[in-house]
Amino acid sequence: MSFIPVNEPLLNGNEKKYLCECIDTGWISSEGPFVKEFEQKMSASVNRKYGIAVSNGTAALEVSIQALGIKEGDEVIMPAFTIISCAMAVTKAGGVPVLVDSDPYTWNMKVDEIEEKITPRTKAVMIVHLYGLPVKADEILALAKKYHLKVIEDAAEMHGQTYNGRPCGSFGDISTFSFYPNKHITTGEGGMIVTDDEELAKRCRMIRNLCFREDVRYVHDEISDNYRFTNLQAAVGLAQLERLDEFVEKKRKMGKYYTEKLRKIDGLRLPVEKTEYADNIYWVYGIVLDKNIQADNKTIQKLLAKEGIGSRTFFWCMHEQPVYVEQGLFGGETYPDAEYLARKGFYIPSGLALTEEQMETVTDKLVKVVNMLS
Ligand SMILES: *Cc1c(COP(=O)(O)O)cnc(C)c1O
């Protein structure tokens, strides 16, 4: 029996050609010309003035947090249900993540619960769009204006998505992308920061590269890290970016296919296809088990694996991360809807190389597994 992996990227465009160009010219480090071209094309694609490519999406968040000047004791509001990169970027800087529960249907943070979390120490809000549908950004931008807060937009899962017709990656002070292989476009590992603020862009460039002082090299006023992005990564990124529209269309088709096949299956909460502000781009095809199914997502994952189907559970909540529990960071806080998603949510194979035949196998096996459980 052949195993269907949860993600397989599609690399059959100009990736090989541009990579060969790197080898032929000898430009393989972060100094190569593709890096600037990729920064320029990526930032332009989301109507931003500046792009700063970094080693991954987590690094993009870390650099952004440092560039915005978040420091000891500063609070940053973010969803309880997200990838730990968001919280880690803040805690590494000495800041404090302040959490908000999730909407059970869009899986994004409950925007109407943000205002009550604002304190005199709040410095920023992190907008994290999850699984293919954007957060209601306008409401957050209005709050940020009212309370003078910075806004960081984590658009790692939002390549090619729009919110009310405006590109994701264009909201707030600074936005970040990831190019991990399960994102809509990949560079293997990689990330990017985009912004319209020239000063912020300059700071990000400096932080990306060990905070070398501009006037004298090898002299440093600040601690950072090496977050550089290579010409090899940019070569793949440029080839991927050429096909972004096609990839988004393919993901939407995939989403439609799965939803049609699974709509009538009792016990599965499927992704919201569209809201008044966006059509889902299905970063991955996520499913949440309904209350009438006793099993959790780990059980489903094991049963699917036995049938030859790869799957992944959803993110684990920030307030339940052992490292933060040990530090007593979130006390006894609970976020019931976020906790439910973390226990009952999982995603099925949805990489860009997936074939329709494989999708049919995935749905057949999933239906079989769900029938066993209900
Ligand atoms: C993937 C992802 C990241 C992290 O990106 P890496 O490139 O894996 O470090 C950050 N935020 C979100 C929402 C993501 O999906």
Side-chain angles (χ1 to χ4, degrees):
M1 184 179 65
S2 65
F3 193 82
I4 302 179
V6 74
N7 179 66
E8 200 183 325
L10 203 56
L11 300 164
N12 55 359
N14 284 322
E15 288 82 359
K16 199 182 275 179
K17 181 178 161 208
Y18 299 159
L19 277 170
C20 286
E21 243 178 272
C22 298
I23 307 290
D24 291 342
T25 58
W27 284 114
I28 56 170
S29 79
S30 57
E31 297 289 322
F34 286 151
V35 177
K36 282 192 188 66
E37 190 183 339
F38 186 49
E39 288 178 334
Q40 191 267 319
K41 287 190 171 154
M42 252 313 282
S43 54
S45 78
V46 294
N47 301 340
R48 289 286 207 182
K49 283 192 188 137
Y50 308 100
I52 302 95
V54 292
S55 43
N56 54 63
T58 304
L61 288 167
E62 280 185 30
V63 173
S64 299
I65 288 286
Q66 189 173 347
L68 286 171
I70 306 289
K71 51 183 190 313
E72 204 70 37
D74 288 347
E75 294 178 357
V76 179
I77 296 173
M78 66 176 68
F81 174 72
T82 181
I83 189 165
I84 200 163
S85 311
C86 304
M88 263 181 3
V90 172
T91 54
K92 273 189 173 181
V96 183
V98 172
L99 308 180
V100 175
D101 205 359
S102 308
D103 179 280
Y105 298 99
T106 63
W107 312 333
N108 281 319
M109 72 169 146
K110 288 177 175 164
V111 174
D112 53 359
E113 291 185 6
I114 293 176
E115 192 163 12
E116 65 202 58
K117 297 282 181 161
I118 297 173
T119 76
R121 291 177 301 280
T122 309
K123 286 283 147 51
V125 183
M126 198 182 277
I127 296 177
V128 191
H129 312 287
L130 294 170
Y131 293 90
L133 274 181
V135 177
K136 282 190 182 172
D138 281 333
E139 294 174 32
I140 297 180
L141 295 173
L143 273 181
K145 200 166 176 193
K146 182 172 163 193
Y147 293 97
H148 307 288
L149 307 176
K150 300 286 183 196
V151 174
I152 307 141
E153 181 194 18
D154 180 350
E157 302 173 8
M158 289 294 121
H159 303 273
Q161 180 58 294
T162 57
Y163 162 80
N164 277 336
R166 288 172 285 155
C168 290
S170 69
F171 301 108
D173 298 276
I174 201 162
S175 309
T176 63
F177 285 99
S178 162
F179 306 115
Y180 188 72
N182 65 8
K183 316 296 183 188
H184 278 41
I185 62 174
T186 185
T187 62
E189 298 285 349
M192 195 175 298
I193 300 156
V194 293
T195 179
D196 290 321
D197 183 324
E198 190 181 354
E199 249 343 276
L200 261 183
K202 219 166 124 184
R203 270 195 61 71
C204 288
R205 280 208 185 91
M206 202 176 80
I207 294 163
R208 167 175 70 180
N209 191 19
L210 302 170
C211 284
F212 278 107
R213 231 163 74 177
E214 262 182 289
D215 50 347
V216 250
R217 206 169 163 81
Y218 305 114
V219 177
H220 307 261
D221 296 321
E222 215 178 319
I223 295 293
S224 70
D225 213 318
N226 172 357
Y227 297 104
R228 298 187 299 255
F229 182 83
T230 71
N231 208 50
L232 295 164
Q233 289 167 296
V236 177
L238 280 168
Q240 290 267 301
L241 190 56
E242 289 169 359
R243 300 176 71 187
L244 178 57
D245 292 346
E246 177 197 335
F247 287 172
V248 168
E249 196 181 320
K250 183 154 189 197
K251 284 277 197 174
R252 284 194 168 129
K253 253 173 101 172
M254 201 180 288
K256 211 168 249 166
Y257 179 94
Y258 274 144
T259 296
E260 255 153 43
K261 289 266 178 177
L262 298 170
R263 206 192 294 277
K264 294 200 188 73
I265 309 303
D266 212 27
L268 301 183
R269 224 190 271 164
L270 305 180
V272 173
E273 290 177 75
K274 58 163 68 188
T275 63
E276 73 272 20
Y277 49 84
D279 291 351
N280 207 322
I281 57 164
Y282 306 94
W283 165 51
V284 291
Y285 194 88
I287 298 173
V288 178
L289 297 169
D290 232 327
K291 299 233 156 60
N292 59 332
I293 294 199
Q294 296 294 317
D296 64 7
N297 50 9
K298 290 195 199 79
T299 308
I300 283 269
Q301 189 180 22
K302 274 193 205 116
L303 293 171
L304 283 172
K306 272 194 200 149
E307 299 290 334
I309 308 296
S311 66
R312 287 277 183 286
T313 55
F314 271 13
F315 299 127
W316 193 244
C317 296
M318 294 308 101
H319 63 292
E320 297 190 288
Q321 294 295 341
V323 58
Y324 291 143
V325 170
E326 195 183 320
Q327 293 171 3
L329 192 55
F330 301 112
E333 292 168 33
T334 57
Y335 299 94
D337 290 315
E339 289 161 25
Y340 190 88
L341 294 175
R343 284 162 178 77
K344 298 285 197 165
F346 64 102
Y347 63 91
I348 55 179
S350 26
L352 283 157
L354 199 69
T355 65
E356 190 157 324
E357 197 187 342
Q358 287 177 314
M359 279 193 272
E360 198 179 331
T361 310
V362 171
T363 47
D364 288 350
K365 301 291 186 187
L366 179 60
V367 170
K368 182 178 164 189
V369 164
V370 172
N371 284 337
M372 276 161 57
L373 290 171
S374 48

